[in-house]
Amino acid sequence: MGYHSLDSWHAYFQDFAYINQGRTRMANINVADLPAKTFAELLCSPVMDVYVGENRRHWCLHRDLLGYHTPFFQGQSLLDGKQKFGKVELLDEDPHAFELLVKWLYQGKIDDVSDFPIERKWDYADACQKLYVLCDKIQMPHLKNIAIDQFRKGCHEAGLVPGPEEIKPIYDTTPPKSPIRRLVSQIAARQIMDPESDSNAGTYRMCFETSADFAIDVIDAIRQGSGAKLFNDPTEETGCFYHEHGTGQLCKVG
C-alpha cells in the first residue's frame, strides 16, 4: 500500500471505523488482535508530525493508524477542504501522557501501575490522569476508561491523592458531569471530612474560586457521603454563638 490521497484515506478510515458508512462510531478491534496483514497496512500510510507540550516534543505517527483509533486526527488533517502538510499541534497536552497514548496506538495496551515500584506509582498515576483528559479531547473513550482506572489504582497504591494543583486543570478542561470530575470532587470531599487529614476547605480555595461546579460537586459529595445527616438547627441554639465579643466576656444581650 503506497501513498494515500486524502479521498482514499477518508474511505479507508470509514471502512475500519464506521458501520455502513454512517456516522455511528463503533468499537474498533484492539490493534493487538488485528490480523498481521491489516496491521501492516495501517503502517504503510504516510506519517503525521505531532507536536506535544509547550516544548513541542515531536512524534511521527502513521496517519491511517491514528484514523483507525479516533476520528479526531481526520479532522486535524483538513484545512478549508485541503490537505495540511501532516502536522498536528497539541501544545496544551502533557508529553508523558502522550507517551502512553503512543504505546496504546501501536500495542493496544498501557502499563499496569501495580508493576511499578512504590516511588514511581504516583508519577504514573498522574500521567494516567492527564491521559484521561487527552483521550476526552481526542475521542478515545475506551482508553479513557482504562486511564481513569489506572489513576485510581495508582492513587490507592501510592497512598496519595491529587491536590488543588492537579484538580484545577481537570475542571478547566473537562465538561460538566465528567466522571473524572466526580472522582476528584469525591476525593476532595473525603479529604475535607477526614479528621486525620491536614486538608480542610481552605486547601481547595483556588478550585472554589475558579469553578462553581467544583464547589457544587464537593458539597454534593459531602452530602452523599455523610448520608445526608441533618445538622442541628442553628436557629434553636441559645447563648452567644453568633455574637461578636471576646471569649469569656460577659454577654449583655438579653
Side-chain angles (χ1 to χ4, degrees):
M1 183 179 294
Y3 184 82
H4 295 272
S5 70
L6 184 61
D7 289 340
S8 67
W9 179 63
H10 179 71
Y12 190 70
F13 170 81
Q14 285 194 324
D15 286 344
F16 272 112
Y18 291 94
I19 301 174
N20 299 325
Q21 304 298 317
R23 298 306 298 171
T24 301
R25 184 82 177 168
M26 72 178 189
N28 288 323
I29 300 172
N30 188 301
V31 293
D33 299 321
L34 284 175
K37 181 177 183 296
T38 303
F39 184 66
E41 287 176 344
L42 289 172
L43 302 187
C44 287
S45 65
V47 297
M48 296 183 72
D49 292 307
V50 184
Y51 297 89
V52 182
E54 60 181 13
N55 293 325
R56 297 175 58 84
R57 185 170 172 186
H58 180 217
W59 277 269
C60 293
L61 304 175
H62 292 88
R63 190 174 64 183
D64 282 354
L65 184 66
L66 291 169
Y68 176 77
H69 284 285
T70 168
F72 174 83
F73 291 98
Q74 184 189 32
Q76 294 295 309
S77 69
L78 297 173
L79 181 62
D80 297 330
K82 298 180 181 179
Q83 187 174 355
K84 288 184 183 180
F85 294 103
K87 175 181 174 182
V88 176
E89 294 184 337
L90 298 169
L91 304 185
D92 293 332
E93 304 303 327
D94 182 75
H96 298 299
F98 200 82
E99 287 177 357
L100 304 184
L101 174 66
V102 172
K103 184 179 179 72
W104 175 265
L105 294 176
Y106 285 86
Q107 299 182 22
K109 64 180 180 180
I110 62 173
D111 295 325
D112 188 335
V113 69
S114 295
D115 296 332
F116 285 84
I118 186 66
E119 64 272 12
R120 293 183 58 198
K121 288 182 184 294
W122 171 251
D123 287 341
Y124 186 72
D126 186 54
C128 287
Q129 172 257 301
K130 293 170 182 172
L131 175 63
Y132 178 99
V133 174
L134 172 61
C135 289
D136 191 60
K137 179 177 182 176
I138 65 175
Q139 305 166 48
M140 294 184 64
H142 183 60
L143 181 54
K144 188 167 69 169
N145 291 338
I146 292 172
I148 198 170
D149 286 347
Q150 287 293 312
F151 174 55
R152 292 174 59 222
K153 185 193 288 189
C155 289
H156 179 72
E157 293 184 2
L160 297 170
V161 293
E165 296 82 4
E166 291 85 20
I167 293 175
K168 183 180 181 299
I170 292 174
Y171 271 81
D172 289 343
T173 56
T174 57
K177 308 301 182 183
S178 168
I180 199 164
R181 283 190 174 197
R182 186 168 70 250
L183 172 60
V184 297
S185 63
Q186 289 177 347
I187 289 173
R190 188 174 187 272
Q191 290 295 104
I192 291 170
M193 297 299 290
D194 184 357
E196 298 183 0
S197 172
D198 293 332
S199 298
N200 56 36
T203 303
Y204 302 93
R205 177 180 293 274
M206 71 164 63
C207 301
F208 288 125
E209 289 179 341
T210 58
S211 176
D213 285 347
F214 175 75
I216 292 169
D217 290 345
V218 168
I219 292 171
D220 284 346
I222 290 174
R223 177 182 172 87
Q224 181 181 14
S226 65
K229 182 180 178 180
L230 188 62
F231 295 162
N232 293 332
D233 185 350
T235 66
E236 292 182 352
E237 294 176 348
T238 59
C240 48
F241 295 103
Y242 304 102
H243 292 178
E244 293 185 4
H245 53 62
T247 302
Q249 182 177 341
L250 180 63
C251 183
K252 299 182 182 300
V253 177

